[in-house]
Amino acid sequence: MDRLTRLFNPRSIAVIGGGAWGAEVIRQCQKIGFAGDIWLVHPTKDDVAGLLPFREIADLPAPPDAVFIGVNRHTTVAAVEALAAIGAGGAICFASGFSEAAHEVADGHDLQQALLVAAGNMPVIGPNCYGFLNYLDGVTLWPDQHGGLRVDSGVALIAQSSNVAINLTMQTRGLPIAYVATVGNQAQTGLSEIGRTLLANPKVTALGLYLEGIDDLAGFVELAAAARRLGKPIVALKTGKSEQAQRAAISHTASLAGSDAGADTLFDRLGIGRVSSLSAFLETLKLLHVVGPLGEATVASMSCSGGEASLMADMAHGRSISFPPLSEAQTVDLRNTLGPIVALANPLDYHTFIWGNEDAMAATFSAMMSPDMALGVVILDFPRPDRCTAPAWDLVLNAVECAQAQTGRPIAVLSSLVENLPEHVAIDLVARGILPLCGMAEAIEAIAVAARVGKPKGEGLFVPPLVRPAQVLSEAEAKQVLKRYGLPVPQSEYVTNIKGLADAGQVVGFPVVLKGTGVAHKTEAGAVVVGIADQAALLRAAEAMPTETFLVEQMITDVIVELLVGVVLDPAHGYVLTLAAGGTWAEILEDRTSLILPVDASDIKQALGELRIAPVLNGYRGAPAVDIQAIIDAVLAVQSYVMTQTPIEIEINPLMCGPRGAVAADALITTGERHD
């Protein structure tokens, strides 16, 4: 049995503490109809929410399966120790004042460590969290109101914000929720382990994650793998910025990659769908619960308004959603039903000629659902129930149900505004196997995400060890290191003073590039001069530079494109590889794409094709193309170094790309040392 199963599916519950929070846990358990034993522990009170308390944890009639600890932080540690000693199944630690408050309370870290020691092998969730709701079995270790009801099946939600979790339970969109879990500090038990436990329940259809950070990269990768094995999709809404992903002030790479790029790339790699808002989060999960992942984002849109048809087309513009044109057979069937006046297209405005005619609407919807349509969408906004009536709207729903049954293709009912689909209608549609979608923008995003989810990009993922910064290598040192891994670099000479320039130019061979060393952004500092043709010009350039040591390099000619190749260690997401337009334009153009290591040649080639400068790489308007294979080889050389030496950061900017090769004209490396 999973070590968290007993906690999340208890037959007995104990509440430690008789204050308002503990009393509310008891009331919520009673309200939802928890069928097992509920015990309360309090040293002095004689009645809490109708229960007679036990005075000590040791007095409990049996080890409880699940415990809500609602006392102060110091007493929490003592309670955890006592519960572990009697063999309790697990505990929710509600109190705050642990590591999350280390800046405010001097003993926060120490107290959290004491909590871990006290728990031993007993599962502990938190501290500083609300607990969880189990709507499948009627379990509410939850010290507050919530908006959910018992369900037979549904999605599981895990949130790193207890308040966001409460808000999600208040949704009126018809989404069946099986579990809601909060994680607090994740001192012992993280969201990845909780997610695996919840997904293992056959009544859970999908998993939604509200993330501020990833608890453990290796555990998160394992969670994604478990979801794929079970055929259950994961949707994530991630907020926050990772300081670790932006630590490297000496380079452009960190600002280009950043935490968001790392999250996007990691989620794509693992087949996790990322959404941009809480509304899209709920709509995507609802789509996945009712329909499941979409093979393609091919949509048949149907409405009785040209305005709605145009809105659908416009909102899908720029996304992966497509509206396949009608076939000849579809056109014939639609013309027979709709007559000669209606313009036949997808999205379809079927006008109001057939409004109120259930059979004609069913025939229209069926005709639109060709086998290549992943989803049909019938736009239907209900009138306000307090001021209007809706006698004909049920006919549309019946027609959708009929068409879905006839074609075997899923058809959604979409309200263009969230408030225009009443909750009771949405719940009824889910019960009938019809997808209710609330809000056009949210629905469009949900469809696009549902077509990507569960499709990981690449196999495996390199989980880096714990590494801290060691030293920043000079440009010359960095190039020599990378050269040993197969990265082409210019021939160069490092000199310690101007006198040393006497022979350097001749050794390297004019024309040369002169660089002042010890400067991160050389162009801005006036520490780089290119195209120096002779010895006199070399000396003049050196005298004008703000440095006393120099690097003389071979001038790389026949350059078509300058690229940036960078890798940043983002502890939350792994090694993030960034390919971008390089040189001095790197941050201005913001033409970039990111991948998670490891990558192969096909991954790199595809990523290069996603850049806006891809036409130039491939030979724009008859100009010569760059040597793509040389770029691929350069990136693989950088990867080989990264995965062998595990640095904090590496940047090649620019990688000079021409028709006969790619050469690293500049390189920066911050090495790392392990601290396992």
Side-chain angles (χ1 to χ4, degrees):
M1 182 173 68
D2 184 288
R3 84 179 192 105
L4 299 181
T5 299
R6 186 178 166 201
L7 172 61
F8 277 95
N9 302 278
R11 296 181 180 178
S12 59
I13 289 173
V15 177
I16 313 300
W21 301 108
E24 189 62 32
V25 172
I26 296 169
R27 282 192 288 268
Q28 292 299 332
C29 282
Q30 293 167 339
K31 180 179 178 181
I32 205 168
F34 176 65
D37 294 317
I38 305 175
W39 304 316
L40 179 74
V41 176
H42 195 277
T44 60
K45 290 186 177 180
D46 294 326
D47 182 284
V48 176
L51 296 182
L52 178 65
F54 295 91
R55 295 309 180 197
E56 303 287 344
I57 290 172
D59 297 335
L60 292 170
D65 292 326
V67 184
F68 184 91
I69 304 176
V71 295
N72 69 61
R73 61 196 185 111
H74 293 285
T75 308
T76 292
V77 175
V80 165
E81 185 174 17
L83 289 165
I86 66 171
I92 304 299
C93 295
F94 176 65
S96 58
F98 292 84
S99 288
E100 87 288 346
H103 291 296
E104 291 75 29
V105 290
D107 62 346
H109 282 305
D110 292 340
L111 201 61
Q112 186 153 307
Q113 289 304 308
L115 180 72
L116 294 176
V117 172
N121 294 324
M122 183 184 75
V124 169
I125 297 178
N128 186 37
C129 82
Y130 254 43
F132 70 86
L133 299 161
N134 175 348
Y135 291 121
L136 295 171
D137 305 300
V139 182
T140 54
L141 265 71
W142 192 262
D144 206 340
Q145 299 182 91
H146 59 92
L149 297 171
R150 298 282 292 266
V151 296
D152 294 326
S153 67
V155 303
L157 308 178
I158 303 176
Q160 287 181 273
S161 165
S162 294
N163 205 57
V164 167
I166 294 172
N167 296 340
L168 289 171
T169 72
M170 303 298 176
Q171 58 89 25
T172 59
R173 300 164 181 259
L175 172 66
I177 299 175
Y179 290 97
V180 177
T182 61
V183 296
N185 292 9
Q186 304 183 83
Q188 181 213 64
T189 306
L191 66 91
S192 297
E193 183 180 3
I194 293 172
R196 292 195 300 272
T197 296
L198 302 186
L199 280 175
N201 190 322
K203 295 181 180 180
V204 171
T205 55
L207 176 63
L209 303 174
Y210 175 82
L211 302 172
E212 294 167 0
I214 292 171
D215 60 327
D216 167 58
L217 182 57
F220 196 73
V221 171
E222 188 179 342
L223 169 62
R228 290 197 299 275
R229 287 194 300 269
L230 293 167
K232 297 182 181 183
I234 300 177
V235 176
L237 173 59
K238 185 181 182 300
T239 64
K241 301 290 183 182
S242 166
E243 292 181 5
Q244 293 94 332
Q246 301 173 18
R247 69 166 85 215
I250 64 170
S251 76
H252 300 281
T253 302
S255 59
L256 288 175
S259 180
D260 260 4
D264 272 341
T265 308
L266 178 66
F267 295 157
D268 280 347
R269 183 62 170 261
L270 299 178
I272 294 172
R274 189 180 187 186
V275 294
S276 63
S277 68
L278 288 171
S279 291
F281 183 66
L282 293 170
E283 293 305 310
T284 305
L285 287 167
K286 195 194 320 175
L287 191 162
L288 294 169
H289 171 77
V290 178
V291 176
L294 302 177
E296 301 290 341
T298 49
V299 175
S301 174
M302 298 156 273
S303 65
C304 63
S305 161
E308 291 166 344
S310 297
L311 280 172
M312 283 291 286
D314 283 352
M315 288 192 176
H317 182 70
R319 292 189 177 271
S320 58
I321 295 173
S322 65
F323 301 96
L326 301 178
S327 67
E328 184 176 345
Q330 287 177 291
T331 301
V332 171
D333 290 342
L334 288 168
R335 185 63 70 204
N336 289 336
T337 302
L338 298 176
I341 298 177
V342 175
L344 303 181
N346 182 24
L348 174 68
D349 166 19
Y350 60 82
H351 292 217
T352 55
F353 300 122
I354 58 172
W355 182 258
N357 185 333
E358 184 176 319
D359 292 339
M361 287 189 289
T364 298
F365 302 157
S366 294
M368 288 293 290
M369 296 307 299
S370 61
D372 60 342
M373 299 294 183
L375 183 69
V377 177
V378 172
I379 302 171
L380 185 69
D381 285 74
F382 279 73
R384 292 176 58 125
D386 58 337
R387 300 177 186 174
C388 308
T389 60
W393 273 252
D394 284 346
L395 301 179
V396 181
L397 304 183
N398 294 340
V400 169
E401 185 173 28
C402 179
Q404 185 168 275
Q406 287 181 349
T407 63
R409 309 301 301 159
I411 304 177
V413 173
L414 165 63
S415 63
S416 59
L417 298 176
V418 173
E419 58 268 31
N420 288 358
L421 187 61
E423 183 181 20
H424 73 275
V425 175
I427 293 173
D428 175 65
L429 287 172
V430 172
R432 294 161 70 173
I434 300 170
L435 170 63
L437 290 172
C438 305
M440 197 173 283
E442 297 93 323
I444 290 292
E445 184 173 351
I447 293 167
V449 172
R452 297 195 305 269
V453 73
K455 300 175 181 177
K457 291 185 177 179
E459 296 295 330
L461 186 139
F462 178 59
V463 178
L466 295 176
V467 178
R468 59 189 168 203
Q471 62 176 317
V472 178
L473 300 184
S474 69
E475 177 184 348
E477 292 170 332
K479 285 179 177 175
Q480 290 307 306
V481 166
L482 294 171
K483 182 179 180 181
R484 292 198 292 269
Y485 285 84
L487 181 70
V489 300
Q491 181 169 330
S492 64
E493 286 288 317
Y494 173 73
V495 296
T496 58
N497 52 49
I498 289 182
K499 292 181 179 179
L501 295 174
D503 298 322
Q506 298 298 331
V507 172
V508 173
F510 291 105
V512 298
V513 176
L514 178 67
K515 299 177 180 179
T517 63
V519 179
H521 301 292
K522 295 181 180 64
T523 301
E524 292 89 330
V528 59
V529 177
V530 302
I532 298 174
D534 54 42
Q535 185 68 25
L538 180 62
L539 292 173
R540 287 195 301 272
E543 290 169 351
M545 285 189 179
T547 62
E548 296 181 356
T549 56
F550 306 92
L551 188 66
V552 181
E553 282 191 340
Q554 168 193 5
M555 177 75 180
I556 306 302
T557 58
D558 204 16
V559 176
I560 297 173
V561 172
E562 295 183 2
L563 291 179
L564 178 148
V565 178
V567 179
V568 170
L569 174 57
D570 181 345
H573 308 121
Y575 275 111
V576 182
L577 165 68
T578 297
L579 302 176
T584 58
W585 294 94
E587 288 175 316
I588 297 173
L589 293 179
E590 292 190 342
D591 181 16
R592 63 185 183 272
T593 186
S594 295
L595 301 167
I596 293 284
L597 299 187
V599 295
D600 59 23
S602 62
D603 297 327
I604 300 167
K605 186 174 183 179
Q606 180 178 342
L608 292 171
E610 294 170 359
L611 295 174
R612 293 197 301 273
I613 61 169
V616 180
L617 295 174
N618 295 318
Y620 186 63
R621 292 191 173 182
V626 303
D627 185 345
I628 295 292
Q629 187 58 51
I631 299 174
I632 292 171
D633 291 342
V635 175
L636 291 175
V638 171
Q639 173 175 266
S640 179
Y641 167 75
V642 168
M643 295 181 67
T644 303
Q645 301 298 325
T646 58
I648 296 296
E649 179 188 8
I650 176 172
E651 176 178 288
I652 311 300
N653 184 28
L655 182 71
M656 312 291 273
C657 306
R660 287 179 292 277
V663 180
D666 200 349
L668 295 169
I669 294 176
T670 301
T671 65
E673 61 181 14
R674 299 192 182 200
H675 61 109
D676 296 331

